[in-house]
Amino acid sequence: MLKKVTITLLMLAVIAAVMLLIVIQYVKPTKSLDLQYKEIAISNKIAEMILSRKLDVRLSEEEVNQLLKKQLASHSTLPHDFRMEGAELNLQGARVDADVNVRWRDRIPIGAHATFTLAWDPPNLVIQHVNTQIRNWQLPSTWLQLAPIEIPLQSYLPKLIGIKNVVFEDNAILVQLKPFQ
């Protein structure tokens, strides 16, 4: 009798280990991502603004990607022992789709897809986490809900220039400026 119980427990342990390995393989990232970013300087675009004679600065998808990666890198510690290790962002108007690599408890790498929304709440550009999914499995928001991140866009501009409005385009963000703030 004791031998049957031992064999049964051993079999259950083996099945549990195999299932754990299958789950770890399933959630493993499919591509290598990082949070390295390049500083952007909106002030460099002032020359373009003068040539076009418009008080607008257009931030390309790549520039927005760098700006958001910088913020995600400074907020890489996530709830429930998750840590963000990499992101690749795709701007679609006021929505950002992101492929992200996170690590749970500094052990298990996980590839996920997160959706964020962007909003202009003067004087900040606000990034709001909407949802996260791993492959085709939607994570409950109680498992991984990120706090809103605020980007003070004014800090990227010269002192005498202010921001009148921010318009979200398909693959860019248009920052409408006002002189002599």
Side-chain angles (χ1 to χ4, degrees):
M1 180 69 173
L2 184 61
K3 187 175 181 181
K4 284 184 180 182
V5 170
T6 304
I7 291 173
T8 303
L9 288 175
L10 185 61
M11 290 299 288
L12 288 174
V14 168
I15 291 171
V18 168
M19 292 299 292
L20 181 62
L21 288 174
I22 290 171
V23 168
I24 289 173
Q25 280 299 111
Y26 180 75
V27 300
K28 185 173 135 183
T30 56
K31 54 185 162 182
S32 178
L33 301 173
D34 61 40
L35 288 176
Q36 294 180 6
Y37 60 90
K38 296 176 187 165
E39 286 289 339
I40 67 161
I42 295 175
S43 58
N44 292 345
K45 294 189 171 253
I46 300 297
E48 294 174 24
M49 183 181 75
I50 292 170
L51 291 174
S52 69
R53 296 183 184 162
K54 293 181 181 177
L55 288 175
D56 296 341
V57 172
R58 180 170 269 100
L59 298 176
S60 69
E61 182 175 32
E62 180 57 31
E63 291 167 325
V64 172
N65 195 345
Q66 297 304 317
L67 191 64
L68 295 179
K69 268 188 167 184
K70 178 181 180 180
Q71 294 302 315
L72 291 174
S74 66
H75 295 86
S76 63
T77 302
L78 307 173
H80 305 292
D81 296 326
F82 285 97
R83 182 175 39 85
M84 187 171 302
E85 294 186 328
E88 182 178 77
L89 308 160
N90 182 17
L91 181 64
Q92 297 176 355
R95 191 178 93 202
V96 175
D97 290 324
D99 291 321
V100 295
N101 288 351
V102 296
R103 190 169 292 270
W104 183 61
R105 294 193 174 181
D106 288 330
R107 290 191 185 109
I108 300 174
I110 300 171
H113 182 81
T115 303
F116 300 91
T117 58
L118 299 175
W120 174 240
D121 185 16
N124 298 316
L125 180 65
V126 180
I127 308 166
Q128 178 71 48
H129 178 243
V130 177
N131 63 41
T132 305
Q133 67 183 55
I134 298 173
R135 303 267 175 127
N136 295 325
W137 183 53
Q138 183 75 33
L139 283 180
S141 61
T142 55
W143 285 17
L144 187 62
Q145 185 61 41
L146 308 177
I149 301 171
E150 295 181 345
I151 303 173
L153 284 182
Q154 185 66 43
S155 66
Y156 291 90
L157 294 172
K159 298 248 186 246
L160 294 176
I161 297 178
I163 299 174
K164 183 166 74 172
N165 194 19
V166 172
V167 178
F168 301 101
E169 298 176 342
D170 285 338
N171 293 322
I173 294 178
L174 183 67
V175 180
Q176 299 171 336
L177 305 173
K178 59 183 175 184
F180 310 110
Q181 176 194 0

